[in-house]
Amino acid sequence: MEPITLSTDRLVLRPWEPEDADAVHRACQDPGIQRWTSVPAPYEIGHARAWTGEIAPAGWREDTEYSFGIRLAGPGTLVGAVGLHVRGPAAYEVGYWTAAGHRGRGYAAEAVGAAARWAFTALGAGRVEWRAEVGNAGSRAVAEKAGFRVEGVLRAALAVRGTWRDCWVGGLLPADLGMESALPHLPARGHGPAVSTAS
């Protein structure tokens, strides 16, 4: 897919470019980003250069991941990152981080909402999924503010630096944002346990 730029009232979501490497490197020195995301730790300038110059652009070319730097409209200050990872036909998983010093202002939730709307309209997504290690309260707060419904805990479903971690999982549907779905959604009726008829 050809990279595109998204905008909100306060933000510009722009695909990563090689000149973003220094800003990404600075932001990813934050222990919170290294603790709760999949970025390498320690995070070196070579990681940032590879991400902005090779890995992120390849995601767009190969339709595996659509990643954006989140910048303030006007000054262009980098405040975070958001990406949509392709998980299957019409299935995407969102990931994000906010740079230290820019948290608590709703930037991540605003950017996640813009990325999700784009996924529902331009990509035909039927669902956007969110996962975070159990205990990552900041990520959960962003997801819920963006409209995700936390659906439960998946055991050993998140690989983090050589270990499996339990994670929260949530989903966002077009209807949660007042949008039409590309395909109709037929919700399950009755959530009781399965009944065996074997004798």
Side-chain angles (χ1 to χ4, degrees):
M1 172 174 289
E2 196 66 30
I4 66 151
T5 297
L6 306 176
S7 299
T8 70
D9 289 343
R10 301 186 297 167
L11 305 171
V12 175
L13 281 62
R14 179 174 54 75
W16 296 109
E17 298 175 353
E19 56 266 29
D20 296 324
D22 287 341
V24 170
H25 179 248
R26 282 192 301 274
C28 289
Q29 298 310 300
D30 174 39
I33 291 175
Q34 292 187 22
R35 165 64 181 90
W36 295 112
T37 74
S38 60
V39 303
Y43 195 82
E44 300 173 356
I45 187 64
H47 295 126
R49 288 176 180 150
W51 172 251
T52 59
E54 301 167 25
I55 299 168
W60 285 91
R61 279 194 314 273
E62 299 165 10
D63 288 312
T64 57
E65 179 176 357
Y66 310 114
S67 299
F68 302 88
I70 306 168
R71 295 186 174 273
L72 295 179
T77 306
L78 180 71
V79 298
V82 64
L84 291 165
H85 312 269
V86 179
R87 293 294 181 234
Y92 300 85
E93 181 180 333
V94 70
Y96 46 86
W97 52 257
T98 307
H102 297 286
R103 295 178 185 140
R105 299 173 191 173
Y107 295 145
E110 189 173 324
V112 167
R117 283 180 174 81
W118 176 70
F120 293 140
T121 55
L123 303 178
R127 168 186 169 91
V128 175
E129 192 163 279
W130 159 83
R131 294 183 183 203
E133 185 179 341
V134 172
N136 189 348
S139 181
R140 181 170 177 158
V142 168
E144 291 179 328
K145 186 172 182 180
F148 283 77
R149 294 186 189 181
V150 178
E151 298 164 337
V153 173
L154 300 177
R155 297 179 303 144
L158 200 62
V160 180
R161 297 181 182 89
T163 63
W164 287 109
R165 310 287 177 92
D166 295 348
C167 71
W168 287 316
V169 62
L172 184 69
L173 307 182
D176 297 330
L177 299 179
M179 302 174 69
E180 293 290 326
S181 178
L183 292 174
H185 170 215
L186 181 62
R189 295 178 191 247
H191 296 97
V195 177
S196 173
T197 57
S199 52

